[in-house]
Amino acid sequence: MDIVREGKLTFGRDQVVTSSHAAKNFGEMRRRAKEEPLYVSDRNDGIDTVIVDFDTFEALAVELENFRVQRLYDTAAIRLQKGDADLTRQPVGLAEVLGEKSYAEWLSLDADAIADKDLFE
């Protein structure tokens, strides 16, 4: 995979193809992209598209989602620490959080509508 240095991608000149070459030789581009990403340049705009194989794309998408989840957990942990450290904090009731209508709907839910075994599969 590409190396990132000082927040920028580094890649070789052989990985840059023009948009017209990519369009005319798409089969070759697909084959080459299985080995390494290809950077498609437009004459005026520089590099505007990257061609990667599906496995690389999937790995990047999964890694990104894992980072998003971890950031959510990290943010929640920091907020919990701050809340625990704040001696002046006051509890907030569920009715206040949900609002009158949503709280009434929540109260009307049947706790036995779903069997415990279905909740904890």
Side-chain angles (χ1 to χ4, degrees), residues 5-96:
R5 290 194 186 125
E6 298 178 18
K8 299 282 185 179
L9 288 174
T10 59
F11 49 87
R13 184 177 294 272
D14 59 325
Q15 288 176 267
V16 179
V17 295
T18 65
S19 56
S20 59
H21 181 75
K24 291 175 185 173
N25 302 287
F26 192 66
E28 175 194 346
M29 298 302 105
R30 289 178 58 213
R31 183 184 49 74
R32 286 180 57 193
K34 290 178 192 276
E35 301 297 320
E36 61 186 1
L38 297 175
Y39 302 89
V40 182
S41 69
D42 188 351
R43 240 179 241 211
N44 303 321
D45 297 331
I47 295 171
D48 66 355
T49 305
V50 179
I51 302 173
V52 295
D53 70 307
F54 180 77
D55 290 339
T56 300
F57 177 78
E58 183 177 46
L60 290 170
V62 168
E63 186 172 2
L64 178 60
E65 182 59 21
N66 289 340
F67 281 128
R68 286 179 176 154
V69 169
Q70 187 58 52
R71 186 175 67 187
L72 174 68
Y73 289 151
D74 292 346
T75 301
I78 290 168
R79 289 181 180 176
L80 286 170
Q81 283 178 333
K82 286 181 180 179
D84 289 343
D86 182 3
L87 301 178
T88 64
R89 72 181 177 161
Q90 297 293 316
V92 178
L94 184 59
E96 186 177 346

Side-chain angles (χ1 to χ4, degrees), residues 102-121:
S102 294
Y103 185 65
E105 289 173 5
W106 182 80
L107 287 175
S108 69
L109 293 175
D110 180 6
D112 294 321
I114 301 175
D116 288 349
K117 67 178 182 68
D118 294 332
L119 285 174
F120 303 105
E121 290 186 88

